[in-house]
Amino acid sequence: DIQMTQSPSSLSASIGDRVTITCQASQDISTYLNWYQHKPGTAPKVLIYDASNLETGVPSRFSGSGSGTDFTFTISSLQPEDIATYYCQQFYNLITFGQGTRLDLK
Amino acid sequence: QVHLQESGPGLVRPSQTLSLTCTVSGGSINRGSYYWSWIRQPAGKGLEWIGHMYPSGSTNYNPSLKSRATISGDTSKNQFSLNLSSVTAADTAVYYCAREHEVFFKLDFWGHGILVSVSS
């Protein structure tokens, strides 16, 4: 099984801050990684697919990078509506999610 | 726009089988290019992929479920279902159904989720 480790598990930031979340895979997964945003009471939403591709309709302040085992998700300028939990998801071998990063306002 | 809706009992007794149905509108589950998936989230925990089915009938499952999960489709009703056998309290969660793109395996449309509790 491929394990996905996200860090940090929680994060506090201010509006306008640059926010970075990392995700590490237990083995090389090439770029087979997606990122999701999940707000309480709603369904998760895909933001980034194949490590660095922005999903249609997603604001350009969201971005992703990385390949192999190390990946980064960035919000360039935090907005109030970005408060949520963020998950990485590998699809190199079946599907595994990271444990999530809870983002809240400082 | 594809819409998915989960349905099923909100309470299941321990050792019984959890059965949920996902009704899809705005797109056929029989169309290629997409898998149809189940994901769950226990309270206070992260997302866990349960498994998926392809229109051909092929399925894949999370090995951690130890063969307790079965996913099947009913093309006449445009629905797909999850059966999870021998449930325990650890199976209490919000269960989501979702469409999964076959190329990047991105889960691009989700249902709103249904809370299933396992309790006697």
Side-chain angles (χ1 to χ4, degrees), chain A residues 1 34 36 38 42-46 49-50 55 87 89 91 94-95 97-99, chain B residues 39 41 45-49 60-61 63 96 100 103-108 110-111:
Chain A
D1 295 9
N34 302 324
Y36 295 82
H38 192 195
T42 71
K45 175 184 176 183
V46 60
Y49 65 94
D50 199 32
E55 179 73 351
Y87 294 91
Q89 171 232 325
F91 56 94
L94 298 181
I95 287 177
F97 290 95
Q99 79 276 20
Chain B
I39 304 97
Q41 183 178 32
K45 296 187 178 181
L47 299 170
E48 180 182 31
W49 179 76
N60 288 292
Y61 300 102
Y96 295 95
E100 185 183 312
V103 176
F104 298 113
F105 294 89
K106 57 179 178 175
L107 297 144
D108 57 359
W110 297 62

Side-chain angles (χ1 to χ4, degrees), chain A residues 56-89:
Chain A
T56 302
V58 173
S60 59
R61 64 180 181 274
F62 296 100
S63 65
S65 64
S67 65
T69 61
D70 296 304
F71 301 86
T72 300
F73 172 81
T74 301
I75 306 173
S76 61
S77 178
L78 185 67
Q79 300 302 303
E81 61 267 30
D82 301 337
I83 300 308
T85 300
Y86 292 85
Y87 294 91
C88 61
Q89 171 232 325

Side-chain angles (χ1 to χ4, degrees), chain A residues 38 41-44, chain B residues 3-6 22 94-98 109-115:
Chain A
H38 192 195
T42 71
Chain B
H3 181 75
L4 298 92
Q5 179 69 57
E6 304 89 350
C22 183
V94 174
Y95 285 76
Y96 295 95
C97 60
F109 287 98
W110 297 62
H112 290 295
I114 182 170
L115 174 62

Side-chain angles (χ1 to χ4, degrees), chain A residues 23-34:
Chain A
C23 184
Q24 185 170 59
S26 59
Q27 66 179 73
D28 189 335
I29 61 169
S30 185
T31 59
Y32 294 176
L33 186 101
N34 302 324

Side-chain angles (χ1 to χ4, degrees), chain B residues 27-64:
Chain B
S28 170
I29 67 167
N30 210 28
R31 176 190 168 186
S33 300
Y34 301 104
Y35 288 85
W36 301 93
S37 304
W38 289 96
I39 304 97
R40 68 182 182 179
Q41 183 178 32
K45 296 187 178 181
L47 299 170
E48 180 182 31
W49 179 76
I50 297 171
H52 63 203
M53 60 161 276
Y54 198 67
S56 64
S58 69
T59 53
N60 288 292
Y61 300 102
N62 187 328
S64 70

